[in-house]
Amino acid sequence: MGHAPPRRRLVPAYFGVALLVLLTGSGGSCSEEEHRPTTPEPDTVREAQLPAPDLRLLVITDLSGYLEPCGCTSRPLGGIDRMAARVEALRDDGPPALLVAAGDLYFHGAPHGAEDGRAADQERMTAATLNEILERIGLDAAAPGPHDFAYGTDTFTDLATDAGFPLLAAGVELTPDGSPASDPDPASDPASDPASDPDPDSDSDPEPAAPLVATTLRRAGDVQVGLLGLSDLQRRDGTLPDGVRVTAELREAGRTAVAELREAGAEVIVALVHGDRRAARRVATGIEHLDFVVHGGLDRAEVDPPSTAGGTVIVNAGRQGQGLVVVDVHRRGDGGWTDASVWTRRSQRAHVDEQIAELRERIAEWEEDPEVAEADLNRQRDRLGRLEREKRDLAAPPEVEARNVFVARYEELAPEAERAGAISALMDRLDRRVNEHNRELFADWEPEPAPEGQPHYVGSQTCAGCHGPAVRWWRGTPHGRAYATLEDRHKNYNLSCVGCHVTGYLEPGGSTVTHVENLQDVGCETCHGPASMHVQDPDGAAVNVRRDPPERLCRGCHNPEHSDTFHFPTYRRLLIAPGHGEPATSD
């Protein structure tokens, strides 16, 4: 936000100068040297010239069980089939790569409104398919979040045991039956040793994999990489999921895990962290010999460039599988990392650009104010010059010789991105299974009747008797075809989708996931209210029909998650048509 120029003749000149210095934060040179224009900065940020990386990290955060985006957004990003294709391509054309994930992996925690918790079946089926897909695309390790325990510790244990990759959380123990956990002897736990294997000569069956372990070792080319998980599993209300016990604070657990990994020969150590920003920074600054923190738990669409705290690099890849962060690692020696990412310098230049524009505007205002001394103006002009030079310098890559260097970039998974056909087939199989399962499971779930004396839903076909032009127009709109879009994709019984594609969903006298009958599509009564009383007495009960629907009716479905371009006044204008807000034309 810009600042107003000093007020003329209402304050002493010296106060105006002090305000100018304070607001612009110059605090630097007191020179009155005349400001000289700087040379024009390059238009592009140049890449560092580096040899082939030693290691590539492919980063996912806060996947939250999303296999694909909602198709109602203007530019749906993500899709596990697109991610699979991109991961394969990044492995094929680059250095040895590891794929890692942090944050809620299986579940998103949003309620479906289904009775008796039966919605859990759909979520478990989706999570099992996600396990299969992540194993196919070669996920090396993941650190869970609290939503992964949304359907109980037993469900999480089943998923983690079936996963073809380790779930990591140091300092956490599970007691599936909810009883207090005993303190295990680490020496007797084979999972505590990343390099341990079952005895091949033993006659007994090998023990099943532990659902949670602290660390794992992975070799990528010539580099031994240590991975550890640090998850703050507290829910928003401050409680832990049932059956989860914390045995050590994050940093304490992390220090122990890092020491074990270094003892086992890890050359690069990556912490997969679920927590808020403070937790990620505490881990980065409070644990020595940690190279990278993959930070989940933010659950935000915006993806910031990498940051550094305590010599440790922190990266986040956004949410719901909308993209990947790719980190190419160049090892040159011990200690610290130099960020040679074009991504980072472009972001820094954008920030400096904002400062330059704001300062130029203020200087122009102060140049018109006779109470501002020329010496103080010169100091601000000098500051402007420094900012312009800073912007110019950011175009050039940093010095990287004999340093540990990383280059990070964010790759969004756009709608036009290639898909992995085999993964798309698994997703389609899941949609069909969920659809059939829910059709049978919820066959008896009928809508609650409308209270006595209150209207119930009748369907848009009933409206056509008196409002033919409006209904004919509506049939040609996306609202009039909403249910068919789900049927085409075998999602019309999917609890995540159906509520925004039918009328009166879970409303008294309305519809449920299987009982939609004449309430398919987003019909007249979605906006104008249940119409039974209006049908019975069009003149006397007209008060029961909304003529000017409020914005809140739209926001339930037209929210940022599903309708990112929604602007109520604009959308409302699009719904004005002959016979629907305008005089009807003859057919």
Side-chain angles (χ1 to χ4, degrees), residues 46-69:
R46 301 190 297 279
E47 295 184 1
Q49 298 301 309
L50 293 164
D54 302 299
L55 164 69
R56 173 169 283 171
L57 296 176
L58 306 177
V59 173
I60 309 168
T61 53
D62 298 316
L63 185 58
S64 302
Y66 280 80
L67 271 63
E68 59 182 323

Side-chain angles (χ1 to χ4, degrees), residues 131-329:
N131 250 355
E132 183 178 354
I133 292 171
L134 291 174
E135 182 176 358
R136 285 197 184 197
I137 67 177
L139 182 65
D140 288 282
H147 285 324
D148 290 321
F149 297 86
Y151 297 101
T153 308
D154 287 345
T155 292
F156 174 83
T157 298
D158 289 343
L159 289 168
T161 304
D162 290 343
F165 47 88
L167 275 295
L168 309 179
V172 174
E173 290 180 351
L174 301 184
T175 56
D177 60 358
S179 60
S182 59
D183 291 328
D185 177 8
S188 65
D189 180 9
S192 66
D193 179 5
S196 66
D197 290 313
D199 181 1
D201 298 324
S202 173
D203 293 331
S204 60
D205 293 332
E207 291 292 324
L212 278 179
V213 295
T215 64
T216 188
L217 277 173
R218 290 289 186 270
R219 177 165 291 280
D222 296 330
V223 183
Q224 189 84 316
V225 182
L227 302 172
L228 65 141
L230 296 171
S231 288
D232 179 356
L233 295 177
Q234 282 193 8
R235 296 174 291 206
R236 290 184 178 180
D237 62 2
T239 64
L240 288 169
D242 292 341
V244 173
R245 185 165 80 98
V246 175
T247 61
E249 184 266 339
L250 285 183
R251 287 173 297 182
E252 177 188 347
R255 293 184 192 113
T256 300
V258 168
E260 292 175 355
L261 287 169
R262 286 178 62 82
E263 181 69 21
E267 300 165 279
V268 173
I269 299 181
V270 181
L272 311 179
V273 177
H274 177 280
D276 59 20
R277 289 180 180 275
R278 288 186 59 195
R281 292 189 67 83
R282 285 199 303 269
V283 166
T285 58
I287 302 177
E288 293 184 355
H289 310 300
L290 191 58
D291 296 292
F292 294 90
V293 164
V294 173
H295 180 202
L298 290 179
D299 193 27
R300 57 197 293 262
E302 298 79 11
V303 183
D304 297 323
S307 60
T308 303
T312 300
V313 181
I314 304 174
V315 296
N316 172 274
R319 62 175 184 168
Q320 299 173 3
Q322 294 180 358
L324 288 164
V325 165
V326 182
V327 185
D328 286 336
V329 179

Side-chain angles (χ1 to χ4, degrees), residues 9 15 60 93 118 142 145 153 164 202 204 218 235 280 352 357 382 408 454 460 466 468 473 481 519 533-534 545 549:
R9 295 184 295 280
F15 185 77
I60 309 168
D93 75 350
R118 288 187 286 180
T153 308
S202 173
S204 60
R218 290 289 186 270
R235 296 174 291 206
V352 173
D382 284 347
Q454 296 297 314
S460 299
C466 295
W473 163 82
R481 302 187 300 271
L519 296 180
M533 296 175 69
H534 175 66
V545 176

Side-chain angles (χ1 to χ4, degrees), residues 436-485:
E436 183 61 22
H437 179 82
N438 285 353
R439 185 183 67 80
E440 297 178 2
L441 182 65
F442 294 105
D444 62 347
W445 187 22
E446 298 184 358
E448 295 181 11
E452 186 176 354
Q454 296 297 314
H456 59 82
Y457 292 84
V458 296
S460 299
Q461 285 300 109
T462 304
C463 304
C466 295
H467 303 280
V471 172
R472 285 192 292 274
W473 163 82
W474 162 79
R475 286 177 183 148
T477 69
H479 281 167
R481 302 187 300 271
Y483 198 73
T485 63

